[in-house]
């Protein structure tokens, strides 16, 4: 089949649910959801949405962690012809208001324990109806009742909230199950998701991802890993939030299309609870990121687990440290496949394979994808020359939601998406990412790449994490280094001495600031923009 020809996420999911009806699709907090149940419940939710007047193209916001409710709601939105607006449950009220208003969301689905946050700003949005769900809503009654009671009354984890128009998810599913509205026809170019990202300019905007974009990328992943992906029924761990594009594609779409069983982890930061969730299972696949792999390998109980069934581990969202990759392989016996992607590409662009890996490289383009490296003037550079990574392929977004100017900025006249990443492409098609264009620091006319300095500083035995930003202006730029240290006796002088041993003089930071932690995104990527905004405010 030609990639991107007629792909539709609803058809893809329907095929999976029919083919694997009796298999378990998702497991979470001890409860299972089969493919047949996923199909039935998502159809019921779609029918309820149609009952509420949802029309093709209407935006439905999901404010949910990794629970069984997420795949049911997401697939239900798609079946109704709606557009998923993925939102981070960790966002502040102001951030949620901005996204809900920008997307002009019609309906919001939210977990009860975080509903109070969005309740404060709901009147400022155009949301017409809020669907509230409790943690155990899709569990069998004998698990659901005590679980929900414990969360509400023992842990007291559900602060009071109120919405003008509110429905319980279980009531919506019950009403939808007896409804029979005509399901809209959905073409491959219909919008499937608004995935908000800082993109190439740093301001939050919705990448418009169509059914073709997302279904194509799921197929590209499966084609790239066809000799590696385990068979249907295999258990894949989904610790990363499904509202993030990497997990949405790998742990939701690819898993569905492959007939896998996905173990959803609601809070991967709670490593002991994470390990307890893993213990009963023989894990076949794992989709993680650098910070998660690092945290798990530092836990003795995790290292004692049985990894004899583990066949594939993937890393995305941020660069994978070589030391972390090595430690993961020592603990599990399984190499980590690193790739390169971005929200605007649904997200995967390149990936490594176990028998074809190069340290420091992000692999080769996945099937159906074209890559070139361009200079500032838009000319294609020869192999080995650093420049901006530019992409073409069926997974590339339609543009930014209601931002034609921003869209025109990232697409050139020849249709190439300019990623904002600096990379090098060798003669064999291997891609190495150097840094982000906006993060480059120019010192005395030389380009300084923060990633290079960070990678080197992390080799210091007393350094846990490191991040680099540029301060000042183009005429008086300085390199500022932020360090999370393992030993409080580590001094600025010793860090700078270490830098002078391994870095050219113009790359040595002018100032070192120690922090207890570094600001990170939901998937653990260090937020340099927050460091710029708060430089000099030690924590």
């Amino acid at each position: 089949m030609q990639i991107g020809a007629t792909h539709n996420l609803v058809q893809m999911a329907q095929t999976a649910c029919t083919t694997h009806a009796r298999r378990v699709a998702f497991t979470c907090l001890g409860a299972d959801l089969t493919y047949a149940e996923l199909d039935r419940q998502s159809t019921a939710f779609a029918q309820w949405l149609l009952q509420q007047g949802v029309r093709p193209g209407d935006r439905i916001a999901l404010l949910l962690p990794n629970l069984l409710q997420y795949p049911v709601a997401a697939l239900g939105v798609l079946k109704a012809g709606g557009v998923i607006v993925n939102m981070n449950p960790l966002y502040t009220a102001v951030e949620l208001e901005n996204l809900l208003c920008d997307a002009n969301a019609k309906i919001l689905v939210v977990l009860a324990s975080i509903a109070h946050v969005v309740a404060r700003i709901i009147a400022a949005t155009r949301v017409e109806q809020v669907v509230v769900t409790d943690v155990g809503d899709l569990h069998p009654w004998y698990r659901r009742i005590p679980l929900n009671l414990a969360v509400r009354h023992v842990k007291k984890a559900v602060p009071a909230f109120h919405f003008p128009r509110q429905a319980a998810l279980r009531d919506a599913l019950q009403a939808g199950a007896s409804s029979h509205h005509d399901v809209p026809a959905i073409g491959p170019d219909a919008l499937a998701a608004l995935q908000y990202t800082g993109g190439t300019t740093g301001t939050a905007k919705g990448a418009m991802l169509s059914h073709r974009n997302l279904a194509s990328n799921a197929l590209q992943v499966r084609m790239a890993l066809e000799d590696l992906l385990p068979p249907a029924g295999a258990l894949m761990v989904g610790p990363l939030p499904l509202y993030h594009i990497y997990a949405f594609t790998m742990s939701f779409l690819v898993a569905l299309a492959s007939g896998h069983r996905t173990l959803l982890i609601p809070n991967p930061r709670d490593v002991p609870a994470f390990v307890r969730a893993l213990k009963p299972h023989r894990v076949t696949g794992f989709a993680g990121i650098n910070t998660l792999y690092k945290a798990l390998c530092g836990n003795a109980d995790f290292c004692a687990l049985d990894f004899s069934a583990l066949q594939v581990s993937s890393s995305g969202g941020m660069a994978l440290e070589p030391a972390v990759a090595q430690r993961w392989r020592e603990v599990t016996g399984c190499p980590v496949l690193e790739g390169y992607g971005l929200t605007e590409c649904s997200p995967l662009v390149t990936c490594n394979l176990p028998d074809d890996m190069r340290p420091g490289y992000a692999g080769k383009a996945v099937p159906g994808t074209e890559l070139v490296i361009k200079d500032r003037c838009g000319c294609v550079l020869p192999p080995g020359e650093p420049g901006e990574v530019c992409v073409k392929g069926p997974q590339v977004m339609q543009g930014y939601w209601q931002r034609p100017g921003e869209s025109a900025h990232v697409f050139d006249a020849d249709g190439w998406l300019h990623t904002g990443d600096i990379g090098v492409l060798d003669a064999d098609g291997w891609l190495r990412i150097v840094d982000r264009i906006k993060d480059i620091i120019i010192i005395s006319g030389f380009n300084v790449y923060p990633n290079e300095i960070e990678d080197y500083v992390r080799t210091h035995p007393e350094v846990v994490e490191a991040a680099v930003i540029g301060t000042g202006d183009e005429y008086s730029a300085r390199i500022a280094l932020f360090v999370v240290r393992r030993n409080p006796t580590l001094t600025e002088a010793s860090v700078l001495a270490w830098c002078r041993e391994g870095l050219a003089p113009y790359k040595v930071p002018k100032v070192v600031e120690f922090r207890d932690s570094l600001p990170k995104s939901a998937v653990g990527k260090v937020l340099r923009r927050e460091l710029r905004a708060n430089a000099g405010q030690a924590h």
Side-chain angles (χ1 to χ4, degrees):
M1 180 185 295
Q2 182 183 355
I3 296 175
T6 58
H7 297 123
N8 176 295
L9 292 176
V10 174
Q11 294 172 354
M12 184 189 81
Q14 193 63 57
T15 298
C17 288
T18 302
T19 305
H20 308 291
R22 295 184 179 181
R23 298 185 188 276
V24 174
F26 295 94
T27 296
C28 184
L29 298 176
D32 294 331
L33 184 72
T34 67
Y35 278 85
E37 290 168 336
L38 173 62
D39 187 27
R40 176 176 57 81
Q41 295 196 24
S42 62
T43 296
F45 189 59
Q47 285 293 318
W48 182 84
L49 290 173
L50 294 171
Q51 200 175 69
Q52 304 308 304
V54 168
R55 298 290 180 263
D58 282 348
R59 276 75 59 203
I60 314 298
L62 304 183
L63 190 57
L64 299 169
N66 281 11
L67 298 170
L68 297 179
Q69 291 91 318
Y70 184 93
V72 168
L75 186 53
V77 170
L78 295 174
K79 286 182 175 182
V83 179
I84 297 168
V85 181
N86 279 315
M87 301 179 72
N88 185 343
L90 298 178
Y91 278 169
T92 65
V94 172
E95 291 171 317
L96 293 172
E97 178 184 343
N98 290 340
L99 264 59
L100 288 169
C101 289
D102 187 80
N104 193 14
K106 184 170 186 174
I107 291 177
L108 168 68
V109 184
V110 61
L111 182 66
S113 59
I114 54 178
H116 66 287
V117 179
V118 73
R120 304 205 313 256
I121 53 86
I122 200 70
T125 73
R126 299 180 69 179
V127 172
E128 299 175 5
Q129 177 84 288
V130 178
V131 181
V132 181
T133 182
D134 284 291
V135 169
D137 276 357
L138 296 189
H139 289 230
W141 69 267
Y142 54 86
R143 293 179 57 89
R144 177 181 75 249
I145 294 174
L147 180 56
N148 288 346
L149 285 174
V151 171
R152 282 183 175 267
H153 302 293
V154 178
K155 295 184 178 180
K156 299 187 184 303
V158 183
F161 61 86
H162 170 73
F163 297 103
R165 289 191 65 197
Q166 177 180 321
L169 177 63
R170 288 183 56 78
D171 292 340
L173 293 177
Q174 185 174 2
S178 58
S179 183
H180 301 285
H181 290 79
D182 291 335
V183 177
I186 303 168
D189 291 318
L191 194 57
L194 285 186
Q195 195 72 30
Y196 277 83
T197 174
T200 60
T201 63
T203 56
K205 47 192 171 292
M208 297 190 295
L209 302 178
S210 67
H211 282 259
R212 186 196 306 273
N213 293 151
L214 290 162
S216 293
N217 205 229
L219 178 58
Q220 288 171 313
V221 172
R222 297 182 71 203
M223 292 176 67
L225 305 179
E226 62 179 340
D227 295 329
L228 188 64
L229 279 181
L235 181 71
M236 312 296 279
V237 182
L240 303 180
L242 293 177
Y243 57 78
H244 187 274
I245 187 61
Y246 170 43
F248 185 83
T249 295
M250 294 297 293
S251 298
F252 181 40
L253 300 181
V254 173
L256 275 183
S258 304
H260 291 153
R261 176 187 181 187
T262 301
L263 175 63
L264 294 176
I265 306 297
N267 180 16
R269 290 182 175 86
D270 185 348
V271 175
F274 191 165
V275 174
R276 289 195 297 272
L278 292 175
K279 275 186 178 180
H281 304 287
R282 284 175 54 80
V283 175
T284 308
F286 201 103
I289 58 171
N290 183 78
T291 49
L292 181 59
Y293 285 129
K294 190 173 185 176
L296 290 173
C297 287
N299 181 277
D301 291 336
F302 176 82
C303 294
L305 295 176
D306 178 9
F307 296 103
S308 59
L310 188 61
Q311 295 180 24
V312 57
S313 301
S314 65
S315 178
M318 62 189 299
L320 179 69
E321 295 175 50
V324 173
Q326 180 180 345
R327 179 59 180 156
W328 180 263
R329 189 163 191 167
E330 291 171 354
V331 170
T332 68
C334 182
V336 182
L337 304 182
E338 188 173 8
Y340 164 71
L342 59 160
T343 301
E344 291 86 343
C345 291
S346 303
L348 197 64
V349 175
T350 70
C351 69
N352 280 288
L353 296 176
D355 57 353
D356 198 14
M357 296 177 68
R358 294 187 186 180
Y361 283 79
K364 294 183 176 181
V366 295
T369 303
E370 298 178 71
L371 279 180
V372 294
I373 305 296
K374 294 192 175 188
D375 63 17
R376 292 178 181 273
C377 298
C379 298
V380 176
L381 293 168
E385 290 290 325
E388 186 173 12
V389 180
C390 298
V391 184
K392 277 186 181 179
Q395 75 270 49
V396 176
M397 68 170 183
Q398 297 178 332
Y400 292 120
W401 174 251
Q402 295 182 333
R403 284 175 170 80
E406 297 269 12
S407 301
H409 176 73
V410 297
F411 285 102
D412 64 23
D414 296 321
W416 290 96
L417 173 72
H418 287 243
T419 65
D421 289 314
I422 296 295
V424 174
L425 198 63
D426 73 11
D428 297 323
W430 286 82
L431 177 68
R432 178 168 62 86
I433 298 299
V434 178
D435 223 313
R436 292 284 295 167
I437 286 178
K438 63 186 172 77
D439 290 331
I440 291 175
I441 308 165
I442 301 176
I443 304 292
S444 301
F446 293 101
N447 284 351
V448 176
Y449 300 106
N451 283 345
E452 178 188 3
I453 300 174
E454 293 165 358
D455 289 344
Y456 174 73
V457 172
R458 281 194 292 260
T459 64
H460 191 293
E462 298 297 336
V463 171
V464 178
E465 293 182 296
V468 167
I469 63 169
T471 62
D473 55 34
E474 59 183 311
Y475 302 106
S476 59
R478 299 197 312 162
I479 300 170
L481 170 64
F482 298 83
V483 171
V484 177
R485 52 190 168 183
R486 183 170 285 107
N487 190 331
T489 61
L490 181 66
T491 65
E492 179 179 8
S494 59
V495 171
L496 291 176
W498 181 268
C499 290
R500 282 191 285 269
E501 286 183 14
L503 297 171
Y506 68 90
K507 298 178 185 177
V508 175
K510 293 298 183 184
V511 62
V512 177
E513 188 171 314
F514 294 107
R515 297 284 183 99
D516 294 332
S517 63
L518 298 177
K520 295 185 179 73
S521 68
V523 295
K525 186 185 296 184
V526 173
L527 299 174
R528 288 178 180 148
R529 65 178 179 271
E530 289 195 17
L531 290 174
R532 293 189 193 97
N534 301 306
Q537 301 175 20
H539 299 302

